[in-house]
Structure formats: structure tokens, C-alpha cells
Amino acid sequence: MNTEVSRFPMFSAMMKVPGGLMLLPLILGSIIGTFAPDALAIGGFTTALFKNSALPLIALLIFATGTQVNMRTGGPILATAGTILLMKTLVPATLIVLLGSYVGLDGILGVSILALLAAFDNSNGGLWLAYTGQYGDSRDRGAYVASAVNDGPFFSLLFLGASGLADIPVTALVAALVPFLLGVVVGNLDVQWRNVLKPVPNIVIPFFAFALGTGINLSAVVSGGMTGLVLGLLISPITGFLVYLGYRYILRRGGKSGIGFAAGTTAGNAIATPAVVAAADPSLQQYVSTATAQVAACVLISSILAPLLASYFLKRAGELKPAEDVAIAMGEPQPATEARV
């Protein structure tokens, strides 16, 4: 038995913070990306891992998550993912488009419809997996597929179609789902692969979170001004509450419904959404710089606020339990006991 004791238990400290596995590296990466942006641009493995690794590591995480979905849990997972997609993406985007039909693309109080859609219609899948890995069960973790679908500019393009954006990249949506679906196939064909890939979230989340953080310049967050700050503070309680309602009244999850607030985030990739949408419709170019700064503020603020809200409501319901306890309560199979380092 290995009895070696950690001199500085960094992993344990991170796990004590709600969503800390994602949040703390994201903040650290944003600090370095702001004050020492060239430090990680020296090339080689350093740049590959700490600056450019987000997309491939997220893809690996999506694949590994898919392997944990078996035929026994597939239905509940799809129901959970569908509920999250409905309450976090479709309902907010519909309301924003209805607002736009009355006030125009300029939006309200200095926040354009483009900024509102880019901030509201997606979710931070990495933080969702980090949080549900701590306090959720297989249904919650597998529901990451909702983030795979709503990540990126696709729904913003879709809901802004009335503005002349007719070329919807359906193939890009399909491409986002392929790793997850392949993972489902592999995990159901070979239980060994499922077991081998089970630790992947704890391994890759801190690394891709740091890489995403290096792309968030804190000066851009500041330049978003009060509008970006207010928008960021609204994302988590509004969209998180919608998902909470879905958990409570559609999925009937009772005290565990507080997990829904963990979906009240803005994905890091959403920072690029205004520019991508404007490339498809140049008439929106006038909104891009302000919208980008506002969305950057939302990414950082919602990453902090959403897990805090989720933990508050779970604790209030007496359901703030480690994932191991949740799995035992559900009767999920547990891995063999291993010596703790």
C-alpha cells in the first residue's frame, strides 16, 4: 500500500471549491493570458498543452463521457440532456428573439441582441462535468451532450436567421456529437474501455480549463463595463433557475434539482460567437467588439456564480453529497476499492 502523503494537496483543495476543477485553472489561465500572454507562446509541448489543447481535450472528454452511457441509463440521460437543452437554450433564445422583434438588434441598455444570444443560449460543459462529477450522478454527467449541442455559434445563427443568416452549419452540429456517440458505442461494446476512461474528467478538465482561460483577457472583461458585469450576474440566476425548474417539474429530481443552477453559465467558446455570426451577416459587425467584451465578462462571472448557486440550493435541500454517495444511493456499480495516495 502506498502511504506517501502529499506535501501540498492541490487536487483536494480544488475539489473543495464548487466546480473548482474547472474554475480555478480557468482563472489562473486568464491571469497569465492577461499579464504574460507570450509566456506560453514559446512553442513545442508547452504551447501545445497549456495554450492550444482546449478543443482536443474537450473532444476526448466528450468521448470518455459517452463511454459511461450504457443502455440502462441511456433513456434518463437523454431526458436530462433534452431538459437542459430546452430550458438553457431554446427557451432563453426564443425570449431574446421575441425581445429583438420589439426593440431591434440594438437590444436594451447597451446590450445588443447578438450579445444576449451569445451569452444566454449556451453553457459551459466543462464546468458542468466538473460540478456533476462532484455532486451529480450518471444522468447528470451524461447530459453533457446538451453542452455539446449548444456550444458555439450554431443556435445564435439559427435564431438570428430572420436577419438574413440562411446558411446554418448543420454539419458542424453533427460533428460536435460524433465523439459522444462513438463513445457510447465503444462503452457498450467493451466494458473495459468504459472502466479505463472513467478517470478522464479529473485528468483533462484542469488542463483544458487553463487553456481556455489563456484566451480570456481580463482587460476585455473590464472593458465590458457595467453592462458586461450586470449581464454576467444575470446569466446564472435566470438560466440556472430555468434549468432548476426543468429538473424539478419535468425530471422530478426533488432535492437534487439544485444541480440545474450549474448549467447557468456561458461557455468559453461563446467569446468567439459575435465575430462568427458577424462573418455570416456583416450587418452585425457594428455590435461585435462590445458584444465580445460583454460575453467575456459573462464567461468569467457565471463560472464563479453558477456553482455557488447550485451548492447553495443543494445544501438547502440537504443534497450536497459527494458523487460517491449519490452513486451508492442510485445503486450504480462501484469500482474496486483502491489505496488512496
Side-chain angles (χ1 to χ4, degrees):
M1 179 181 291
N2 188 352
T3 57
E4 186 178 359
V5 178
S6 298
R7 292 182 176 85
F8 177 42
M10 290 180 285
F11 187 82
S12 297
M14 291 169 68
M15 294 298 283
K16 290 178 181 177
V17 178
L21 203 61
M22 170 82 182
L23 177 60
L24 297 181
L26 181 77
I27 293 175
L28 179 60
S30 66
I31 292 172
I32 293 177
T34 300
F35 298 105
D38 296 329
L40 302 176
I42 60 177
F45 297 127
T46 300
T47 302
L49 178 60
F50 295 110
K51 191 174 180 66
N52 299 332
S53 65
L55 285 181
L57 288 180
I58 290 173
L60 173 59
L61 179 62
I62 294 172
F63 178 85
T65 300
T67 63
Q68 306 306 306
V69 178
N70 55 49
M71 296 306 172
R72 181 174 62 86
T73 60
I77 285 174
L78 290 177
T80 305
T83 299
I84 294 173
L85 192 61
L86 171 66
M87 304 306 280
K88 179 62 178 80
T89 299
L90 301 182
V91 170
T94 300
L95 294 175
I96 290 168
V97 168
L98 288 174
L99 174 66
S101 68
Y102 285 99
V103 302
L105 288 173
D106 288 343
I108 55 174
L109 302 176
V111 183
S112 66
I113 296 299
L114 175 59
L116 286 171
L117 277 174
F120 273 83
D121 69 10
N122 60 84
S123 55
N124 187 327
L127 190 142
W128 174 261
L129 276 175
Y131 192 85
T132 57
Q134 285 180 263
Y135 304 115
D137 57 39
S138 59
R139 293 169 292 181
D140 305 311
R141 293 187 291 274
Y144 176 88
V145 66
S147 296
V149 172
N150 70 17
D151 194 7
F154 314 121
F155 280 100
S156 296
L157 286 168
L158 183 64
F159 280 90
L160 284 170
S163 301
L165 302 174
D167 186 15
I168 308 301
V170 177
T171 54
L173 279 171
V174 174
L177 291 174
V178 167
F180 181 83
L181 296 177
L182 285 176
V184 173
V185 172
V186 170
N188 281 278
L189 290 177
D190 188 348
V191 70
Q192 266 190 304
W193 266 115
R194 183 188 303 164
N195 293 332
V196 166
L197 292 171
K198 196 168 187 177
V200 163
N202 285 347
I203 297 171
V204 304
I205 286 175
F207 288 95
F208 79 66
F210 182 91
L212 283 177
T214 62
I216 301 175
N217 192 304
L218 293 177
S219 62
V221 175
V222 174
S223 70
M226 284 301 297
T227 54
L229 176 62
V230 172
L231 193 61
L233 291 173
L234 290 176
I235 294 286
S236 298
I238 292 178
T239 62
F241 180 67
L242 287 172
V243 180
Y244 166 84
L245 291 178
Y247 258 66
R248 191 167 188 85
Y249 296 108
I250 298 176
L251 299 174
R252 305 288 183 179
R253 292 288 297 275
K256 297 298 288 186
S257 298
I259 286 178
F261 278 96
T265 53
T266 299
N269 289 343
I271 295 172
T273 293
V276 172
V277 174
D281 184 353
S283 69
L284 298 174
Q285 188 64 47
Q286 59 181 311
Y287 304 110
V288 170
S289 59
T290 302
T292 300
Q294 290 167 339
V295 172
C298 292
V299 172
L300 202 56
I301 294 170
S302 66
S303 293
I304 298 171
L305 190 56
L308 292 177
L309 285 172
S311 294
Y312 170 78
F313 282 95
L314 285 177
K315 186 175 182 179
R316 186 178 177 184
E319 293 288 350
L320 192 64
K321 302 174 182 177
E324 291 82 359
D325 294 346
V326 175
I328 292 171
M330 285 187 65
E332 293 180 9
Q334 299 297 298
T337 303
E338 299 177 357
R340 295 187 179 274
V341 178

